[in-house]
Amino acid sequence: MADGSALNFLAVVPDRTWTVESWSTEGDAAELLAAFDGWHPFVTGILGACERPGRWALYDREPQRAWSSGPVTLLGDAAHAMLPHHGQGANQALEDAVVLAHLLAGTDAGGVPSALRAYERLRRPRTRLLQAGSRKNAGCFQLPDGPEAEARNVRLAGLPDDLAWIHGHDPLGSLRPATAPARTPAAPAAPATT
């Protein structure tokens, strides 16, 4: 950032005692460094260079029951807040915007509530899967060294296939009539062999 003169990072440390809901709370640089004691010097060097770290909690929210009311709707994190463990918060806001814009194009004021209901119906299944996956990954990514972490690492080695349903998604595809059954994320396609 800033032409290479600044670095933005996110360091996650489990702390069930932290309950402040704020994006502007200042953390303690010494506590930050202590939380990563024993890590690779590259990591501790970055953390040690941070003079005034921010500190905030990651709060998980249940999926909203409804996103729309009359001619007003929510999108992105306002509609389906998710933990950052799939890296999909901003992407889902963009997907929402693409689908919403398509559904609202050419719609008069009387058709807006119907378009918003269609938007919710089309987007809710995907965003709920991503919310649940992000929640599940929170535990996966925070494992201490040992057999569980080793099993996780084996699973992570297959991520390109496992995540194709996330990164290969066409948001406008949900607006076209289905010509074949949708593939679920639990059943990724087998890699081609020759």
Side-chain angles (χ1 to χ4, degrees):
M1 294 176 54
D3 295 328
S5 65
L7 176 68
N8 183 45
F9 66 89
L10 173 68
V12 178
V13 177
D15 183 354
R16 298 209 180 274
T17 65
W18 184 261
T19 58
V20 177
E21 287 203 43
S22 167
W23 288 99
S24 59
T25 301
E26 191 170 308
D28 181 272
E31 284 181 23
L32 172 65
L33 194 55
F36 290 87
D37 185 41
W39 282 56
H40 190 279
F42 180 80
V43 173
T44 56
I46 290 171
L47 298 176
C50 187
E51 298 171 7
R52 293 185 336 265
R55 183 174 182 185
W56 62 91
L58 297 176
Y59 291 99
D60 196 11
R61 306 286 191 225
E62 291 300 319
Q64 296 283 344
R65 293 180 148 270
W67 303 351
S68 305
S69 179
V72 177
T73 196
L74 302 173
L75 64 125
D77 277 347
H80 41 72
M82 59 186 71
L83 294 168
H85 307 303
H86 254 325
Q88 286 295 302
N91 292 346
Q92 293 314 299
L94 292 171
E95 287 183 18
D96 286 351
V98 166
V99 171
L100 190 56
H102 183 82
L103 291 170
L104 290 172
T107 302
D108 64 14
V112 168
S114 176
L116 299 183
R117 286 190 301 276
Y119 152 72
E120 266 188 71
R121 186 182 73 252
L122 292 167
R123 294 291 301 146
R124 185 178 284 124
R126 178 168 168 76
T127 59
R128 285 191 176 190
L129 281 173
L130 287 161
Q131 282 177 295
S134 292
R135 179 180 288 164
K136 184 177 178 183
N137 281 347
C140 169
F141 295 153
Q142 299 296 323
L143 293 172
D145 289 343
E148 285 183 284
E150 290 169 14
R152 181 240 5 245
N153 293 346
V154 168
R155 183 181 146 269
L156 292 178
L159 279 183
D161 291 334
D162 288 350
L163 297 180
W165 71 275
I166 296 174
H167 302 292
H169 180 71
D170 173 10
L172 292 178
S174 64
L175 300 168
R176 293 191 270 290
T179 56
R183 190 169 58 89
T184 64
T193 58
T194 56

mmCIF file of all heavy atoms in Angstrom, residues 26 32 36 40 49 62-63 69 76 80 94 106 114-115 121 124 131 136 143-144 155 157 171 176 181 183 191:
data_model
loop_
_atom_site.group_PDB
_atom_site.id
_atom_site.type_symbol
_atom_site.label_atom_id
_atom_site.label_comp_id
_atom_site.label_asym_id
_atom_site.label_seq_id
_atom_site.Cartn_x
_atom_site.Cartn_y
_atom_site.Cartn_z
ATOM 1 N N GLU A 26 -7.528 0.700 19.427
ATOM 2 C CA GLU A 26 -6.093 0.496 19.252
ATOM 3 C C GLU A 26 -5.642 -0.665 20.115
ATOM 4 O O GLU A 26 -6.008 -0.772 21.285
ATOM 5 C CB GLU A 26 -5.323 1.765 19.622
ATOM 6 C CG GLU A 26 -3.871 1.707 19.216
ATOM 7 C CD GLU A 26 -3.169 3.048 19.359
ATOM 8 O OE1 GLU A 26 -3.683 4.052 18.820
ATOM 9 O OE2 GLU A 26 -2.097 3.080 20.009
ATOM 10 N N LEU A 32 0.548 -7.956 20.707
ATOM 11 C CA LEU A 32 0.486 -8.525 19.364
ATOM 12 C C LEU A 32 1.713 -9.378 19.101
ATOM 13 O O LEU A 32 1.599 -10.527 18.662
ATOM 14 C CB LEU A 32 0.383 -7.405 18.319
ATOM 15 C CG LEU A 32 0.495 -7.839 16.855
ATOM 16 C CD1 LEU A 32 -0.678 -8.738 16.462
ATOM 17 C CD2 LEU A 32 0.554 -6.613 15.948
ATOM 18 N N PHE A 36 2.456 -14.056 18.887
ATOM 19 C CA PHE A 36 3.083 -14.805 17.798
ATOM 20 C C PHE A 36 4.529 -15.188 18.139
ATOM 21 O O PHE A 36 5.350 -15.401 17.259
ATOM 22 C CB PHE A 36 3.007 -13.998 16.496
ATOM 23 C CG PHE A 36 1.594 -13.913 15.982
ATOM 24 C CD1 PHE A 36 0.744 -12.904 16.416
ATOM 25 C CD2 PHE A 36 1.104 -14.873 15.113
ATOM 26 C CE1 PHE A 36 -0.568 -12.839 15.973
ATOM 27 C CE2 PHE A 36 -0.201 -14.822 14.671
ATOM 28 C CZ PHE A 36 -1.049 -13.804 15.095
ATOM 29 N N HIS A 40 7.964 -17.639 12.621
ATOM 30 C CA HIS A 40 9.071 -17.342 11.716
ATOM 31 C C HIS A 40 9.462 -15.863 11.865
ATOM 32 O O HIS A 40 8.603 -14.990 12.019
ATOM 33 C CB HIS A 40 8.643 -17.637 10.265
ATOM 34 C CG HIS A 40 9.771 -17.596 9.297
ATOM 35 N ND1 HIS A 40 10.262 -16.416 8.774
ATOM 36 C CD2 HIS A 40 10.514 -18.594 8.768
ATOM 37 C CE1 HIS A 40 11.256 -16.687 7.959
ATOM 38 N NE2 HIS A 40 11.427 -18.006 7.923
ATOM 39 N N ALA A 49 7.216 -4.336 13.593
ATOM 40 C CA ALA A 49 7.283 -3.006 12.971
ATOM 41 C C ALA A 49 5.988 -2.225 13.143
ATOM 42 O O ALA A 49 5.938 -1.025 12.855
ATOM 43 C CB ALA A 49 7.608 -3.144 11.493
ATOM 44 N N GLU A 62 -25.866 -15.104 12.487
ATOM 45 C CA GLU A 62 -26.734 -16.046 11.786
ATOM 46 C C GLU A 62 -27.250 -15.375 10.515
ATOM 47 O O GLU A 62 -27.392 -14.153 10.471
ATOM 48 C CB GLU A 62 -27.919 -16.460 12.678
ATOM 49 C CG GLU A 62 -27.512 -17.323 13.864
ATOM 50 C CD GLU A 62 -26.841 -18.626 13.459
ATOM 51 O OE1 GLU A 62 -27.312 -19.265 12.485
ATOM 52 O OE2 GLU A 62 -25.842 -19.001 14.101
ATOM 53 N N PRO A 63 -27.556 -16.175 9.489
ATOM 54 C CA PRO A 63 -28.112 -15.570 8.268
ATOM 55 C C PRO A 63 -29.396 -14.799 8.559
ATOM 56 O O PRO A 63 -30.213 -15.216 9.393
ATOM 57 C CB PRO A 63 -28.404 -16.781 7.386
ATOM 58 C CG PRO A 63 -27.487 -17.851 7.887
ATOM 59 C CD PRO A 63 -27.366 -17.612 9.371
ATOM 60 N N SER A 69 -37.520 -5.212 2.381
ATOM 61 C CA SER A 69 -38.806 -4.765 2.909
ATOM 62 C C SER A 69 -39.332 -3.724 1.930
ATOM 63 O O SER A 69 -38.741 -2.645 1.792
ATOM 64 C CB SER A 69 -38.640 -4.159 4.306
ATOM 65 O OG SER A 69 -39.896 -3.698 4.789
ATOM 66 N N GLY A 76 -24.470 -7.503 0.328
ATOM 67 C CA GLY A 76 -23.168 -7.647 0.967
ATOM 68 C C GLY A 76 -23.301 -8.030 2.427
ATOM 69 O O GLY A 76 -24.224 -8.738 2.817
ATOM 70 N N HIS A 80 -25.733 -10.550 4.559
ATOM 71 C CA HIS A 80 -25.190 -11.873 4.904
ATOM 72 C C HIS A 80 -23.756 -11.742 5.408
ATOM 73 O O HIS A 80 -22.806 -12.169 4.750
ATOM 74 C CB HIS A 80 -25.260 -12.816 3.702
ATOM 75 C CG HIS A 80 -24.889 -12.176 2.395
ATOM 76 N ND1 HIS A 80 -23.591 -11.826 2.070
ATOM 77 C CD2 HIS A 80 -25.649 -11.799 1.351
ATOM 78 C CE1 HIS A 80 -23.571 -11.278 0.872
ATOM 79 N NE2 HIS A 80 -24.817 -11.238 0.410
ATOM 80 N N LEU A 94 -20.313 -7.958 -4.510
ATOM 81 C CA LEU A 94 -20.281 -7.708 -5.959
ATOM 82 C C LEU A 94 -21.258 -8.627 -6.694
ATOM 83 O O LEU A 94 -21.959 -8.185 -7.605
ATOM 84 C CB LEU A 94 -18.859 -7.884 -6.495
ATOM 85 C CG LEU A 94 -17.857 -6.828 -6.035
ATOM 86 C CD1 LEU A 94 -16.445 -7.226 -6.432
ATOM 87 C CD2 LEU A 94 -18.221 -5.468 -6.593
ATOM 88 N N GLY A 106 -34.840 -2.107 -16.164
ATOM 89 C CA GLY A 106 -36.114 -2.000 -16.875
ATOM 90 C C GLY A 106 -37.348 -2.210 -16.013
ATOM 91 O O GLY A 106 -38.460 -2.230 -16.530
ATOM 92 N N SER A 114 -41.093 -7.175 -6.178
ATOM 93 C CA SER A 114 -41.017 -8.512 -6.763
ATOM 94 C C SER A 114 -39.585 -8.833 -7.191
ATOM 95 O O SER A 114 -39.092 -9.949 -6.980
ATOM 96 C CB SER A 114 -41.962 -8.602 -7.962
ATOM 97 O OG SER A 114 -41.838 -9.852 -8.591
ATOM 98 N N ALA A 115 -38.894 -7.873 -7.782
ATOM 99 C CA ALA A 115 -37.500 -8.076 -8.185
ATOM 100 C C ALA A 115 -36.618 -8.322 -6.968
ATOM 101 O O ALA A 115 -35.710 -9.162 -7.011
ATOM 102 C CB ALA A 115 -37.000 -6.868 -8.971
ATOM 103 N N ARG A 121 -34.249 -14.750 -3.263
ATOM 104 C CA ARG A 121 -34.455 -16.170 -3.544
ATOM 105 C C ARG A 121 -33.255 -16.752 -4.310
ATOM 106 O O ARG A 121 -32.816 -17.861 -4.038
ATOM 107 C CB ARG A 121 -35.743 -16.369 -4.352
ATOM 108 C CG ARG A 121 -36.122 -17.821 -4.569
ATOM 109 C CD ARG A 121 -37.374 -17.981 -5.424
ATOM 110 N NE ARG A 121 -37.079 -17.673 -6.825
ATOM 111 C CZ ARG A 121 -37.473 -16.586 -7.477
ATOM 112 N NH1 ARG A 121 -38.197 -15.663 -6.870
ATOM 113 N NH2 ARG A 121 -37.150 -16.390 -8.738
ATOM 114 N N ARG A 124 -29.739 -16.143 -1.727
ATOM 115 C CA ARG A 124 -29.672 -16.674 -0.365
ATOM 116 C C ARG A 124 -28.981 -18.045 -0.282
ATOM 117 O O ARG A 124 -28.117 -18.234 0.589
ATOM 118 C CB ARG A 124 -31.054 -16.737 0.267
ATOM 119 C CG ARG A 124 -30.956 -17.169 1.742
ATOM 120 C CD ARG A 124 -32.284 -17.211 2.447
ATOM 121 N NE ARG A 124 -32.686 -15.856 2.748
ATOM 122 C CZ ARG A 124 -33.841 -15.328 2.365
ATOM 123 N NH1 ARG A 124 -34.704 -16.015 1.684
ATOM 124 N NH2 ARG A 124 -34.133 -14.094 2.694
ATOM 125 N N GLN A 131 -21.416 -18.500 4.187
ATOM 126 C CA GLN A 131 -21.397 -18.150 5.607
ATOM 127 C C GLN A 131 -21.035 -19.385 6.442
ATOM 128 O O GLN A 131 -20.201 -19.316 7.331
ATOM 129 C CB GLN A 131 -22.761 -17.622 6.054
ATOM 130 C CG GLN A 131 -23.033 -16.191 5.647
ATOM 131 C CD GLN A 131 -24.430 -15.767 6.061
ATOM 132 O OE1 GLN A 131 -25.423 -16.298 5.572
ATOM 133 N NE2 GLN A 131 -24.499 -14.804 6.960
ATOM 134 N N LYS A 136 -17.025 -22.702 9.463
ATOM 135 C CA LYS A 136 -16.311 -23.974 9.626
ATOM 136 C C LYS A 136 -14.803 -23.770 9.496
ATOM 137 O O LYS A 136 -14.023 -24.364 10.229
ATOM 138 C CB LYS A 136 -16.802 -24.973 8.581
ATOM 139 C CG LYS A 136 -16.203 -26.346 8.721
ATOM 140 C CD LYS A 136 -16.792 -27.296 7.694
ATOM 141 C CE LYS A 136 -16.161 -28.669 7.803
ATOM 142 N NZ LYS A 136 -16.663 -29.579 6.778
ATOM 143 N N LEU A 143 -6.005 -24.450 14.091
ATOM 144 C CA LEU A 143 -5.567 -25.673 14.756
ATOM 145 C C LEU A 143 -4.108 -25.581 15.195
ATOM 146 O O LEU A 143 -3.262 -25.086 14.446
ATOM 147 C CB LEU A 143 -5.723 -26.871 13.813
ATOM 148 C CG LEU A 143 -7.148 -27.265 13.458
ATOM 149 C CD1 LEU A 143 -7.136 -28.336 12.368
ATOM 150 C CD2 LEU A 143 -7.888 -27.755 14.680
ATOM 151 N N PRO A 144 -3.802 -26.094 16.392
ATOM 152 C CA PRO A 144 -2.388 -26.152 16.800
ATOM 153 C C PRO A 144 -1.688 -27.282 16.041
ATOM 154 O O PRO A 144 -2.335 -28.168 15.477
ATOM 155 C CB PRO A 144 -2.472 -26.468 18.300
ATOM 156 C CG PRO A 144 -3.783 -27.158 18.470
ATOM 157 C CD PRO A 144 -4.699 -26.583 17.424
ATOM 158 N N ARG A 155 -6.031 -31.894 3.404
ATOM 159 C CA ARG A 155 -7.280 -31.417 2.805
ATOM 160 C C ARG A 155 -7.061 -30.126 2.031
ATOM 161 O O ARG A 155 -7.569 -29.949 0.922
ATOM 162 C CB ARG A 155 -8.341 -31.195 3.879
ATOM 163 C CG ARG A 155 -9.677 -30.772 3.320
ATOM 164 C CD ARG A 155 -10.707 -30.548 4.443
ATOM 165 N NE ARG A 155 -11.587 -29.491 4.066
ATOM 166 C CZ ARG A 155 -11.422 -28.196 4.330
ATOM 167 N NH1 ARG A 155 -10.391 -27.773 5.011
ATOM 168 N NH2 ARG A 155 -12.289 -27.295 3.925
ATOM 169 N N ALA A 157 -4.491 -29.180 0.497
ATOM 170 C CA ALA A 157 -3.749 -29.409 -0.743
ATOM 171 C C ALA A 157 -4.698 -29.617 -1.928
ATOM 172 O O ALA A 157 -4.334 -29.372 -3.069
ATOM 173 C CB ALA A 157 -2.823 -30.610 -0.592
ATOM 174 N N PRO A 171 -22.508 -15.248 -11.416
ATOM 175 C CA PRO A 171 -23.721 -14.792 -10.749
ATOM 176 C C PRO A 171 -24.916 -14.643 -11.682
ATOM 177 O O PRO A 171 -26.054 -14.833 -11.281
ATOM 178 C CB PRO A 171 -23.340 -13.464 -10.109
ATOM 179 C CG PRO A 171 -22.045 -13.077 -10.689
ATOM 180 C CD PRO A 171 -21.418 -14.296 -11.272
ATOM 181 N N ARG A 176 -30.419 -17.674 -15.528
ATOM 182 C CA ARG A 176 -30.776 -18.446 -16.713
ATOM 183 C C ARG A 176 -31.464 -19.738 -16.290
ATOM 184 O O ARG A 176 -31.130 -20.305 -15.259
ATOM 185 C CB ARG A 176 -29.521 -18.768 -17.521
ATOM 186 C CG ARG A 176 -28.878 -17.525 -18.130
ATOM 187 C CD ARG A 176 -27.800 -17.875 -19.131
ATOM 188 N NE ARG A 176 -26.453 -18.032 -18.636
ATOM 189 C CZ ARG A 176 -25.672 -17.065 -18.179
ATOM 190 N NH1 ARG A 176 -26.124 -15.838 -18.085
ATOM 191 N NH2 ARG A 176 -24.450 -17.297 -17.795
ATOM 192 N N PRO A 181 -28.703 -30.417 -13.734
ATOM 193 C CA PRO A 181 -28.736 -30.253 -12.278
ATOM 194 C C PRO A 181 -27.485 -29.537 -11.788
ATOM 195 O O PRO A 181 -26.391 -29.759 -12.304
ATOM 196 C CB PRO A 181 -28.767 -31.695 -11.742
ATOM 197 C CG PRO A 181 -29.110 -32.560 -12.903
ATOM 198 C CD PRO A 181 -28.750 -31.807 -14.144
ATOM 199 N N ARG A 183 -24.376 -28.713 -9.503
ATOM 200 C CA ARG A 183 -23.450 -29.524 -8.726
ATOM 201 C C ARG A 183 -23.324 -28.902 -7.344
ATOM 202 O O ARG A 183 -23.159 -27.699 -7.200
ATOM 203 C CB ARG A 183 -22.087 -29.537 -9.420
ATOM 204 C CG ARG A 183 -21.117 -30.529 -8.844
ATOM 205 C CD ARG A 183 -19.918 -30.665 -9.754
ATOM 206 N NE ARG A 183 -19.238 -29.414 -9.982
ATOM 207 C CZ ARG A 183 -18.254 -28.961 -9.215
ATOM 208 N NH1 ARG A 183 -17.836 -29.642 -8.188
ATOM 209 N NH2 ARG A 183 -17.677 -27.809 -9.490
ATOM 210 N N PRO A 191 -10.871 -34.755 -11.007
ATOM 211 C CA PRO A 191 -9.960 -34.212 -11.993
ATOM 212 C C PRO A 191 -9.829 -35.164 -13.193
ATOM 213 O O PRO A 191 -9.894 -36.372 -13.030
ATOM 214 C CB PRO A 191 -8.640 -34.071 -11.237
ATOM 215 C CG PRO A 191 -8.770 -34.880 -9.999
ATOM 216 C CD PRO A 191 -10.240 -35.071 -9.750
#
